[in-house]
Amino acid sequence: MSTPHRTEQEIGRYIAEHYRRVVEVGVGNNFEAARVIHEAGVGIVCTDVREREPPGGIRFVRDDVTCPHKGLYRGVDCIFAIRPGEELMLSLIDLAAEVGADLLVYHLGFEIYEDGGEIMSVGNVLIHRYVRGETLNR
């Protein structure tokens, strides 16, 4: 039987294994991927346009990716979003490219943005890498 947050757990495990400093954009009320990443000892900051209450130890900053506080993203090697609205995709791509970070996106169902980027299988989950950053620990 799968858990309600299996997708987020798989994404969190993949990110924790491949990156050292990450930002989750548009966390909403689902901190499951962030929890997995944090528990693995990886530095993570979660953002959203609305104030949120993260679980213990996870840093949250209110930010709007369409007009981001770029200092928050400098030095990270991965920016990721789970089920972002299509209207945020261009802002996410531009931000990741500017700061030299990978951009990983999990879309709902078979949604994609433009060409879909590089599609990667993470366990039973497909994620899209739209930007390949400069500092990825490959």
Side-chain angles (χ1 to χ4, degrees):
M1 182 168 143
S2 65
T3 64
H5 296 291
R6 181 190 55 79
T7 297
E8 292 84 351
Q9 290 168 356
E10 289 192 38
I11 292 167
R13 279 191 294 272
Y14 176 84
I15 290 172
E17 290 171 5
H18 293 89
Y19 301 95
R20 287 175 266 148
R21 290 188 63 212
V22 301
V23 174
E24 180 176 3
V25 173
V27 69
N29 291 316
N30 186 347
F31 285 89
E32 188 62 21
R35 183 194 60 75
V36 170
I37 293 164
H38 175 72
E39 288 179 357
V42 175
I44 182 162
V45 175
C46 296
T47 72
D48 201 280
V49 294
R50 293 190 177 107
E51 198 62 41
R52 305 293 180 181
E53 285 297 321
I58 296 175
R59 182 173 170 221
F60 174 85
V61 176
R62 187 173 173 194
D63 192 47
D64 183 346
V65 73
T66 65
C67 185
H69 295 8
K70 292 182 183 167
L72 178 64
Y73 302 89
R74 295 204 197 292
V76 302
D77 47 9
C78 177
I79 297 169
F80 77 99
I82 297 175
R83 296 180 285 279
E86 184 178 346
E87 69 278 5
L88 300 179
M89 287 301 301
L90 184 56
S91 296
L92 286 164
I93 290 168
D94 288 347
L95 178 60
E98 182 175 335
V99 301
D102 272 19
L103 173 61
L104 302 181
V105 175
Y106 172 75
H107 293 289
L108 186 60
F110 292 100
E111 294 176 355
I112 62 169
Y113 181 76
E114 293 191 352
D115 69 358
E118 176 186 357
I119 300 172
M120 304 180 329
S121 180
V122 174
N124 294 317
V125 177
L126 293 180
I127 59 174
H128 301 254
R129 180 168 33 209
Y130 286 96
V131 176
R132 184 180 286 268
E134 302 165 358
T135 60
L136 179 64
N137 178 14
R138 297 187 207 288

